[in-house]
Amino acid sequence: MADTEQYRDSVSTIDKEGKRVWVFPKKPKGNLYRWRTAVSVFLLAILFGTPFVKINGQPLLLLNIIERKFVIFGMPFWPQDFYIFMVATITIVVFVVLFTVVFGRLWCGWACPQTIFMEMIFRKIEYLIEGNAAAQRKLNAAPMSAEKFFKKALKHGIFFALSVLLSNIFLAYIIGIEDLKELITSSPAEHLTGFLVMLLFSAAFYWVYAFFREQICTMVCPYGRLQGVLLDKKTIVVAYDFLRGEPRKKGKKTEGAGDCVDCNMCVDVCPTGIDIRNGTQLECVNCTACIDACNGVMDKVKRPRGLIRYDSYEGIQKGTKLSFSARIMGYSAILLILLTALILLFTNRSALDATVLRTPGVLFQELPDGRLSNLYNIKVVNKTFDEKPLELQMISPKGEIEIIGGELTAPPGSLCESSFFIKLDKKDVPFRVTPVVFVVKSGGIILEEIKSSFLGPARQKGR
Ligand code: SF4
Ligand code: SF4
């Protein structure tokens, strides 16, 4: 059977000669755009405010990959907590996959920093300075004049200043707000590396938002590239109701014509330059601008809204309404289980990690009072920001622990090492290798129970 469908084999913003097609989207307006603006303001407030928030004097979030120091919700995490990061990474991957299979690119349209920065900050400034799409097109085509120079210089000046601000915010998440303040208030010569990193970040942001723009979503973003394998006919996406809309016809509705009046408004507002009427495409970031545009048109021609809407291919084809199906419930349950497991791991994570090994190459010693002793090495990682005085206490069998040096204190956020003797009565050491249990305590609270072994003379048949 002949394939009558039309396919593109290149992205919408590159022409046949391989040159960039610059997109001049019309300023969107409508309910969803207003909601997206409100959500963006909320998310931007979180992004800009988080580095300033402290919990018990510690940052809410610090991701210092350079010094391998991480603080999440005021709790320090060390390389020893790597397993939590592994579980978190797996959860995020599973979350992203499951979420996308069900809800498509909801993330891209509503929460992705790239979309928020581009559409809600940089694009809005562009509209303010250069006007709407037609005025921008005209300005770009016009020869250089005082007006054009002023508008372009103003726009790019503001874009660069905003890029510097964004790079500083991202740096605050890496080095912390105090170090950032110091970096900003002192001479660049004193922090040349930090200053150069900040400049590099700023230049990258500026280049992305002034020039590269939607190409990030279509060519660079790995999540965007994954859509082809994650979406299926049941996935909820921004979709054109081809059953209702086709055959499209300009002007008054005639017999057999669909609801689409072929006004091209949905294409004009699209920031990635596509026509959603051709079906789900790689470039669509689900920004909902075409939904708003089409709803506006439908209001004018007095036809029901929702010719372009959130729906699945199957939903449009079979006319079924969007519902919380068993599939969505199942996926949501899996996500809930994973998130619960992650929260439990986070909250039950130990504040101190103790490792105890019997000192290699040393056998038991017989003490003058007749007891037996074994020497052990202890390493304790203190993951808190407080100094922790430690005690060791025998649980079984009854016996004595003598720390060499008398005291054991774990300094904040570091590793302490020491050695200690376990002293047991001979009657409690019936085997060559006797199991022993003791606890590591701090402030009277048991931090960890340690199971180890005690070497004795082979007086009885041992293990
Ligand atoms: S905005 Fe609506 S009516 Fe206009 S072309 Fe697009 S789908 Fe058709
Ligand atoms: S097709 Fe619609 S939802 Fe997709 S990017 Fe374009 S305007 Fe946004």
Side-chain angles (χ1 to χ4, degrees):
M1 196 175 82
D3 191 351
T4 52
E5 296 265 27
Q6 298 235 326
Y7 295 97
R8 277 189 290 122
D9 58 3
S10 64
V11 288
S12 57
T13 47
I14 294 178
D15 68 12
K16 285 200 176 85
E17 277 78 47
K19 288 203 183 109
R20 171 85 176 270
V21 179
W22 194 264
V23 184
F24 294 95
K26 263 192 184 160
K27 190 171 183 222
K29 56 177 185 211
N31 285 344
L32 286 167
Y33 188 62
R34 276 193 290 278
W35 272 109
R36 278 179 60 221
T37 305
V39 171
S40 302
V41 169
F42 173 68
L43 293 176
L44 285 169
I46 292 177
L47 177 80
F48 283 81
T50 299
F52 296 92
V53 179
K54 300 258 161 147
I55 297 178
N56 298 328
Q58 297 304 321
L60 180 66
L61 185 66
L62 182 79
L63 304 169
N64 192 338
I65 38 176
I66 306 154
E67 292 173 14
R68 292 186 297 159
K69 194 175 158 193
F70 306 95
V71 182
I72 300 168
F73 296 117
M75 289 191 290
F77 286 81
W78 306 97
Q80 285 79 6
D81 296 313
F82 187 70
Y83 69 99
I84 296 183
F85 281 92
M86 286 302 294
V87 175
T89 309
I90 293 167
T91 308
I92 290 167
V93 170
V94 174
F95 181 90
V96 164
V97 170
L98 296 186
F99 187 88
T100 310
V101 169
V102 178
F103 300 106
R105 296 182 79 167
L106 203 65
W107 159 264
C108 301
W110 289 80
C112 173
Q114 163 68 15
T115 313
I116 292 180
F117 294 155
M118 185 68 242
E119 303 305 325
M120 295 295 160
I121 301 180
F122 289 89
R123 189 90 73 189
K124 278 180 192 271
I125 291 165
E126 196 164 65
Y127 287 134
L128 218 61
I129 297 171
E130 295 187 355
N132 213 332
Q136 285 180 24
R137 217 177 258 121
K138 202 171 147 202
L139 187 75
N140 269 29
M144 186 51 79
S145 63
E147 187 200 354
K148 180 170 177 173
F149 181 79
F150 173 74
K151 284 184 173 174
K152 291 286 177 193
L154 181 65
K155 180 180 95 170
H156 287 281
I158 295 175
F159 274 19
F160 191 73
L162 277 172
S163 303
V164 172
L165 178 69
L166 287 181
S167 78
N168 276 289
I169 286 297
F170 279 98
L171 265 184
Y173 281 94
I174 298 172
I175 60 174
I177 198 73
E178 278 78 24
D179 284 5
L180 181 70
K181 275 183 198 159
E182 204 189 314
L183 199 77
I184 293 170
T185 48
S186 53
S187 152
E190 286 174 42
H191 304 277
L192 202 56
T193 314
F195 180 71
L196 289 176
V197 168
M198 191 275 289
L199 266 190
L200 203 75
F201 273 30
S202 306
F205 278 125
Y206 170 70
W207 176 72
V208 165
Y209 297 112
F211 305 105
F212 203 56
R213 302 190 155 197
E214 75 290 334
Q215 308 286 86
I216 284 276
C217 310
T218 49
M219 293 187 195
V220 181
C221 175
Y223 180 57
R225 314 285 306 189
L226 267 178
Q227 301 305 311
V229 289
L230 294 179
L231 305 190
D232 65 14
K233 287 182 178 178
K234 288 191 172 84
T235 306
I236 298 157
V237 288
V238 170
Y240 166 69
D241 186 341
F242 49 89
L243 290 182
R244 196 188 126 190
E246 300 296 316
R248 61 190 81 163
K249 190 175 179 307
K250 279 190 178 23
K252 286 221 165 85
K253 191 162 182 173
T254 52
E255 185 66 32
D259 273 354
C260 174
V261 293
D262 206 10
C263 63
N264 236 35
M265 281 299 286
C266 50
V267 183
D268 291 345
V269 292
C270 179
T272 62
I274 59 167
D275 185 343
I276 194 65
R277 292 173 299 170
N278 294 334
T280 301
Q281 292 148 75
L282 163 84
E283 296 92 338
C284 178
V285 290
N286 278 218
C287 73
T288 71
C290 55
I291 300 184
D292 273 336
C294 191
N295 281 344
V297 175
M298 290 298 108
D299 287 352
K300 274 190 201 136
V301 297
K302 302 204 171 19
R303 288 174 203 171
R305 287 179 159 213
L307 181 57
I308 302 175
R309 61 177 182 269
Y310 275 121
D311 210 335
S312 65
Y313 179 81
E314 212 170 83
I316 287 173
Q317 225 180 16
K318 294 181 180 167
T320 47
K321 286 264 172 267
L322 205 60
S323 63
F324 202 63
S325 63
R327 182 170 174 258
I328 298 178
M329 274 192 268
Y331 283 158
S332 307
I334 293 170
L335 291 182
L336 207 66
I337 292 166
L338 277 170
L339 285 174
T340 312
L342 193 62
I343 290 167
L344 283 175
L345 268 180
F346 263 94
T347 45
N348 291 330
R349 148 189 176 275
S350 61
L352 284 106
D353 268 351
T355 315
V356 175
L357 286 175
R358 225 184 31 249
T359 309
V362 181
L363 291 176
F364 66 90
Q365 279 180 307
E366 202 153 352
L367 300 174
D369 61 8
R371 289 185 299 170
L372 298 174
S373 80
N374 273 198
L375 183 62
Y376 297 80
N377 294 334
I378 183 167
K379 284 184 186 174
V380 181
V381 179
N382 180 2
K383 299 181 198 165
T384 71
F385 292 112
D386 308 310
E387 191 173 86
K388 294 274 182 196
L390 302 170
E391 305 155 46
L392 300 176
Q393 188 190 328
M394 278 308 293
I395 298 294
S396 81
K398 292 279 170 253
E400 187 197 339
I401 293 183
E402 184 195 334
I403 297 167
I404 296 173
E407 278 183 1
L408 186 57
T409 303
S414 50
L415 175 87
C416 80
E417 291 183 63
S418 187
S419 301
F420 64 91
F421 288 107
I422 290 183
K423 299 175 182 176
L424 299 178
D425 283 341
K426 276 186 185 159
K427 67 172 171 46
D428 293 324
V429 190
F431 308 115
R432 173 143 165 67
V433 180
T434 303
V436 287
V437 181
F438 55 94
V439 289
V440 182
K441 290 165 87 179
S442 181
I445 297 165
I446 295 175
L447 301 170
E448 202 160 336
E449 189 181 87
I450 311 258
K451 290 186 173 81
S452 189
S453 55
F454 190 95
L455 288 185
R459 285 174 298 154
Q460 293 181 28
K461 197 179 170 198
R463 286 178 294 171

